[in-house]
């Protein structure tokens, strides 16, 4: 699947290793949160980067104590209408100070891309056959925001300023 970073297709150095398969020690890999829970001691002293994949219902606090062990956190979207992943990314950044890569995986669409970036995602695993231009355009379609974001690049709407929300 193509990897979208900064609105463009990028190289993906990471491999997802399904549960039960051997984990190579010579390249960056992503494992499931369930595997991490069961085998965490086996990853002690690992030389290559390690990432963890969270299902949509897994809260950020579940991995908070181990965030320093992960170079990447992949947050799964079971359906595009499931917004829990946005909250997970924002919480990882704001509450837990996570500075590594946060990747959206699963059912995401270009219309969500700007909001993914605004809540802390750095990359998106896009579906095969995706139109790269639609992802790039998504970053510039909306120029005013109602909610503040982590990057604070979009000016807040007049309605928000008038209501003094915040």
């Amino acid at each position: 699947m193509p990897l979208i970073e900064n609105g463009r297709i990028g190289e993906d150095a990471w491999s997802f290793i399904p549960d039960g398969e051997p984990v190579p020690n010579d390249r960056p890999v992503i494992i499931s949160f369930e595997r991490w829970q069961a085998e965490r001691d086996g990853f002690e002293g690992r030389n290559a980067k390690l990432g963890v994949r969270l299902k949509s219902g897994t809260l950020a606090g579940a991995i908070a104590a181990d965030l320093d062990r992960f170079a990447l956190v992949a947050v799964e979207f079971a359906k595009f209408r499931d917004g829990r992943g946005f909250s997970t990314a924002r919480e990882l950044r704001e509450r837990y100070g996570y500075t590594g890569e946060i990747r959206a995986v699963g059912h995401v669409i270009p219309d969500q891309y700007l909001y993914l970036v605004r809540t802390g995602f750095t990359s998106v695993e896009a579906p095969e056959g995706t139109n790269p231009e639609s992802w790039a355009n998504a970053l510039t379609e909306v120029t005013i925001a109602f909610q503040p974001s982590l990057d604070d690049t979009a000016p807040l709407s007049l309605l928000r300023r008038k209501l003094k929300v915040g």
Side-chain angles (χ1 to χ4, degrees):
M1 293 197 175
L3 184 69
I4 307 292
E5 294 178 295
N6 301 315
R8 295 182 299 278
I9 300 228
E11 289 295 317
D12 189 1
W14 295 84
S15 300
F16 176 71
I17 308 298
D19 293 347
E21 288 189 19
V23 177
N25 199 28
D26 62 344
R27 66 178 195 258
V29 297
I30 303 168
I31 59 170
S32 71
F33 174 63
E34 294 76 18
R35 185 173 198 165
W36 171 253
Q37 288 180 305
E39 303 174 22
R40 67 185 301 148
D41 292 340
F43 295 104
E44 195 70 43
R46 179 179 166 77
N47 294 326
K49 293 178 181 178
L50 183 65
V52 65
R53 182 174 175 146
L54 305 179
K55 290 187 177 169
S56 61
T58 305
L59 300 176
I63 61 164
D66 297 319
L67 282 173
D68 60 330
R69 308 259 316 259
F70 303 120
L72 177 145
V73 176
V75 179
E76 188 176 303
F77 286 78
K79 296 282 183 195
F80 78 90
R81 65 181 182 259
D82 183 357
R84 294 177 287 181
F86 294 99
S87 300
T88 299
R90 189 158 191 149
E91 192 173 16
L92 285 169
R93 297 281 190 221
E94 290 183 343
R95 180 176 287 180
Y96 300 112
Y98 183 67
T99 58
E101 180 178 349
I102 302 178
R103 179 178 295 185
V105 298
H107 196 244
V108 290
I109 58 176
D111 291 355
Q112 298 171 310
Y113 188 41
L114 178 63
Y115 305 105
L116 290 166
V117 171
R118 287 178 53 83
T119 56
F121 285 92
T122 50
S123 62
V124 177
E125 192 177 274
E128 286 296 334
T130 196
N131 177 359
E133 289 179 26
S134 63
W135 293 90
N137 291 340
L139 291 176
T140 59
E141 287 178 340
V142 178
T143 58
I144 296 176
F146 189 76
Q147 296 174 318
S149 74
L150 295 175
D151 63 8
D152 282 327
T153 55
L156 294 179
S157 74
L158 291 174
L159 177 61
R160 180 181 169 85
R161 286 181 269 167
K162 196 172 244 181
L163 293 174
K164 295 183 182 174
V165 177

